[in-house]
Amino acid sequence: MKELIKGLKVLFLTLFAYLFQACAMQYFAIGGVTASLPFVTLAVFVVSLGKKYAFCASCIIGICTECMLANVPALYLIAYPVITMLCAQLFADLTERQRERRLSDHQGKTIFSRLRQKEMPALMRIPLCALLMDLIWHTVMCVYMYLIGVELDFSHFSRLFRAVVYTGVLTLVLMLPLRAFLGMYRRPKRKKKTDDDDDLPLLRRPSFADEEEEDNYAQDDRQEMQANNASDEVQNETFDLYPEEGEW
């Protein structure tokens, strides 16, 4: 049930991010540039939920954008999942095997192994992930514009820088509410009894009725022992176990 609720929340945030970006984000433009709300949402998914949810959400956003707002065939459909998974390799939570491998390879020669020697906090990785996603996207768009014959100048790079910074600031504003909506700050309920206590039999204090019943059992045992002793005496009197020599 928890996984179903989490999946519905992810689907709602994914569709909301796409629809708000396509319909209303233009009204929040600053200096002629807008932030990328889908990349903000995907960055939260990458760090908070993992690669599986982030990949599914990026595919949904890529499909919706390809169907509704595509200027270049298959660009959005490929770009969103690829960019998301590339950034997920850098900023997603590590598995236990990856942590052990990192500890054993702490003297790596590559820059990547040195940077990833210690895992950064989640609140630092989310803005960095969103910034890198938006930077890669705008770089791809600049390369495409150059390939189709558009001359790039300082204004293009200035817009790229302002858009990336705007996305980073929006990430700082929205990452805590998004994580709270996904249930990342809920404390687990404490169990009243541990599992070990559940396996043990229940113990209770002996009541007055139990004590009276034990006394009755003890009294019956005494009476039975007395009756057995009396019968043994009668039997000994009837049969002489040690007869005289002349009686044989």
Side-chain angles (χ1 to χ4, degrees), residues 43-84:
V44 174
F45 291 164
V46 166
V47 178
S48 303
L49 301 180
K51 300 176 183 179
K52 178 177 65 176
Y53 289 98
F55 178 73
C56 295
S58 63
C59 289
I60 293 174
I61 293 176
I63 292 171
C64 293
T65 308
E66 182 69 24
C67 295
M68 302 297 294
L69 303 174
N71 295 324
V72 182
L75 177 63
Y76 294 94
L77 185 62
I78 299 174
Y80 275 98
V82 171
I83 292 173
T84 302

Side-chain angles (χ1 to χ4, degrees), residues 88-203:
Q89 297 297 324
L90 295 174
F91 298 104
D93 289 335
L94 299 178
T95 61
E96 294 297 332
R97 182 178 298 178
Q98 290 173 342
R99 289 190 179 93
E100 293 177 358
R101 186 181 301 172
R102 177 187 297 180
L103 293 175
S104 62
D105 193 24
H106 64 280
Q107 295 180 353
K109 298 181 180 180
T110 61
I111 298 177
F112 175 75
S113 61
R114 294 177 181 176
L115 292 177
R116 294 285 285 167
Q117 182 177 354
K118 294 183 179 180
E119 193 170 4
M120 292 184 294
L123 297 182
M124 291 179 60
R125 285 181 286 151
I126 292 175
L128 293 176
C129 183
L131 288 172
L132 183 59
M133 284 182 177
D134 204 23
L135 178 61
I136 294 174
W137 170 251
H138 283 90
T139 303
V140 171
M141 295 302 297
C142 288
V143 171
Y144 173 75
M145 293 173 60
Y146 177 77
L147 292 177
I148 63 176
V150 177
E151 295 183 0
L152 300 179
D153 54 7
F154 179 76
S155 62
H156 292 88
F157 295 102
S158 176
R159 289 174 60 88
L160 183 151
F161 177 77
R162 285 179 290 158
V164 172
V165 172
Y166 191 5
T167 301
V169 174
L170 186 63
T171 306
L172 294 175
V173 174
L174 295 180
M175 64 179 179
L176 292 179
L178 291 178
R179 284 171 61 86
F181 179 75
L182 293 173
M184 303 302 297
Y185 299 113
R186 293 179 182 176
R187 294 182 179 179
K189 296 181 180 179
R190 294 182 179 178
K191 294 183 179 180
K192 295 182 180 179
K193 296 181 180 180
T194 59
D195 297 337
D196 297 336
D197 295 337
D198 294 338
D199 297 336
L200 296 176
L202 295 177
L203 301 177

Side-chain angles (χ1 to χ4, degrees), residues 19-29 33-37 166 170:
L19 293 175
F20 194 88
Q21 181 72 26
C23 301
M25 202 63 192
Q26 57 185 345
Y27 300 106
F28 295 89
V33 296
T34 59
S36 179
L37 185 59
Y166 191 5
L170 186 63

